[in-house]
Amino acid sequence: MTIALFFLMGYQFWGEADHEWIGAGMFVLFIAHQACNLNRYKNLFRGRYTPIRILQRMINILMLTAMLVIMYSGITMSRHVFVFLPIRGGMALARRLHILGSYGVYVLMSLHLGLHWGMTLNMIVKKHASQVR
């Protein structure tokens, strides 16, 4: 998802159609990410809430909100991928929401990755170690 975000930032390099297709791919990755983390939702209210866990939850909720805003506004503005949907009007608001949500997601994704960096590195090391054997 992080790599897709870098490509999405390059809107002026790739153009509108590619931006939309990469965004649609990001939507699919977002759904897959949520599906892979269903256990986190099941355990949301279990255990002790430490300050770091509260911070992680706040960041996750804000990022979920920002991602939903980006997806809604992106679909509303779509001229290529979601053109088949009967959506008319609301472009000015959708454009503002899309830009505002995008900036928020970049900041929140950085914090999200930073707070999960140790876990991410452990998964990569374990996967690499199992392939070496």
Side-chain angles (χ1 to χ4, degrees):
M1 289 175 71
T2 305
I3 293 167
L5 273 179
F6 285 122
F7 281 106
L8 287 169
M9 282 193 294
Y11 174 85
Q12 64 275 13
F13 298 119
W14 320 119
E16 189 174 274
D18 289 338
H19 181 79
E20 283 190 31
W21 282 108
I22 295 167
M26 182 71 162
F27 174 74
V28 171
L29 290 173
F30 176 78
I31 298 300
H33 183 72
Q34 299 309 311
C36 288
N37 288 294
L38 282 177
N39 282 335
R40 291 193 184 268
Y41 289 114
K42 291 175 186 173
N43 297 319
L44 196 59
F45 299 107
R46 293 186 183 154
R48 196 168 145 253
Y49 266 79
T50 62
I52 193 74
R53 188 174 179 200
I54 293 169
L55 177 65
Q56 286 176 327
R57 295 300 176 260
M58 287 174 34
I59 289 169
N60 290 346
I61 290 168
L62 290 171
M63 191 164 49
L64 174 65
T65 304
M67 289 293 287
L68 292 173
V69 166
I70 289 172
M71 287 183 256
Y72 164 76
S73 59
I75 291 169
T76 301
M77 293 187 302
S78 178
R79 292 184 188 169
H80 303 282
V81 178
F82 298 103
V83 72
F84 62 90
L85 295 175
I87 300 172
R88 303 288 177 254
M91 291 291 266
L93 176 61
R95 187 168 282 115
R96 285 188 185 125
L97 288 174
H98 200 71
I99 291 170
L100 180 63
S102 298
Y103 291 142
V105 163
Y106 290 125
V107 171
L108 293 166
M109 174 113 23
S110 299
L111 293 170
H112 180 77
L113 284 172
L115 289 170
H116 291 87
W117 193 246
M119 180 182 68
T120 304
L121 285 179
N122 284 338
M123 284 182 0
I124 292 169
V125 167
K126 284 181 184 177
K127 179 116 176 129
H128 180 69
S130 68
Q131 290 177 348
V132 172
R133 292 180 192 171

